[in-house]
Amino acid sequence: EPEVTQTPSHQVTQMGQEVILRCVPISNHLYFYWYRQILGQKVEFLVSFYNNEISEKSEIFDDQFSVERPDGSNFTLKIRSTKLEDSAMYFCASSEAGVRTDTQYFGPGTRLTVL
Amino acid sequence: GNSVTQMEGPVTLSEEAFLTINCTYTATGYPSLFWYVQYPGEGLQLLLKATKADDKGSNKGFEATYRKETTSFHLEKGSVQVSDSAVYFCALRRDDKIIFGKGTRLHILP
């Protein structure tokens, strides 16, 4: 069964450094998403992406964050200058369509630790 | 606004017990409703979904019915197994995003 993959599984970085989290969505999917889960808290939506544009973003997704689909398979989340509070599990997801009935399939996550 | 409330955990049951995890939602319009499960050390997996009122989602012995009148989507299983130990998330989809509940940790004792 096709699945969403993410790399790395765990990333440790120093405060102020840039990080890029990578995702490979399911191959025929057109809609891509990033979520995060701070330890012990809810899974929160960050951003959705379709047709090479951001279609929706949350208030968490400020100027420090950016997303890109650099080629036909990868979808990346960049954090320009990491803060301690960016430490979280980051999940990538993809869906075939953007309608409310469609399922979003999640990757296994990247645990980001900012020191 | 849109939100999901689910029962606090952890929930501890013996193997073969009956499981209910309560979930209620607040939303404008008619969202789709989901249960996701997170096994230890793994990501979020879709367990089941329902897209309109009175729909029943089911998978792996788990069931949940979309109840518009009570704005609920309670998860049930008739006989749980040790392998069901995980964190269960109730969620709704509005527009692009999925809104999750806080999650309920389930421990099943042999």
Side-chain angles (χ1 to χ4, degrees), chain A residues 48 55-56 100-101 103-104, chain B residues 32 36 49 96-98:
Chain A
S48 59
S55 43
E56 188 175 349
R100 68 166 187 84
T101 55
T103 299
Q104 293 183 14
Chain B
S32 290
Y36 281 85
K49 73 176 189 182
D96 282 1
K97 61 177 172 275
I98 291 184

Side-chain angles (χ1 to χ4, degrees), chain B residues 9-31:
Chain B
V11 173
T12 302
L13 295 171
S14 297
E15 206 166 21
E16 299 182 6
F18 184 87
L19 168 72
T20 302
I21 301 178
N22 289 334
C23 171
T24 56
Y25 67 90
T26 303
T28 51
Y30 302 99

Side-chain angles (χ1 to χ4, degrees), chain B residues 58-79:
Chain B
S58 59
N59 186 25
K60 299 182 182 179
F62 291 90
E63 292 183 340
T65 301
Y66 190 142
R67 300 274 187 217
K68 188 161 77 80
E69 62 278 9
T70 53
T71 62
S72 64
F73 192 56
H74 305 320
L75 182 69
E76 295 182 336
K77 186 173 185 182
S79 176

Side-chain angles (χ1 to χ4, degrees), chain A residues 29-47:
Chain A
H29 286 187
L30 301 176
Y31 293 79
F32 315 114
Y33 314 86
W34 283 101
Y35 291 78
R36 79 172 184 192
Q37 184 183 28
I38 295 172
L39 189 64
Q41 298 187 24
K42 285 187 185 187
V43 178
E44 302 171 290
F45 170 81
L46 292 178
V47 66

Side-chain angles (χ1 to χ4, degrees), chain A residues 11-95:
Chain A
Q11 172 97 44
V12 181
T13 190
Q14 295 290 325
M15 193 168 57
Q17 294 297 302
E18 174 184 287
V19 293
I20 297 177
L21 309 183
R22 290 184 167 80
C23 168
V24 178
I26 294 172
S27 63
N28 64 330
H29 286 187
L30 301 176
Y31 293 79
F32 315 114
Y33 314 86
W34 283 101
Y35 291 78
R36 79 172 184 192
Q37 184 183 28
I38 295 172
L39 189 64
Q41 298 187 24
K42 285 187 185 187
V43 178
E44 302 171 290
F45 170 81
L46 292 178
V47 66
S48 59
F49 190 84
Y50 168 69
N51 200 25
N52 282 319
E53 288 184 348
I54 290 174
S55 43
E56 188 175 349
K57 61 182 180 178
S58 72
E59 58 274 10
I60 302 166
F61 194 88
D62 61 22
D63 292 343
Q64 292 298 312
F65 292 89
S66 62
V67 288
E68 193 179 29
R69 189 151 162 84
D71 53 44
S73 58
N74 289 283
F75 178 52
T76 61
L77 173 70
K78 184 195 292 188
I79 309 175
R80 229 176 305 281
S81 175
T82 49
K83 307 186 196 67
L84 293 175
E85 55 265 35
D86 293 327
S87 294
M89 182 74 93
Y90 288 81
F91 293 105
C92 173
S94 69
S95 65

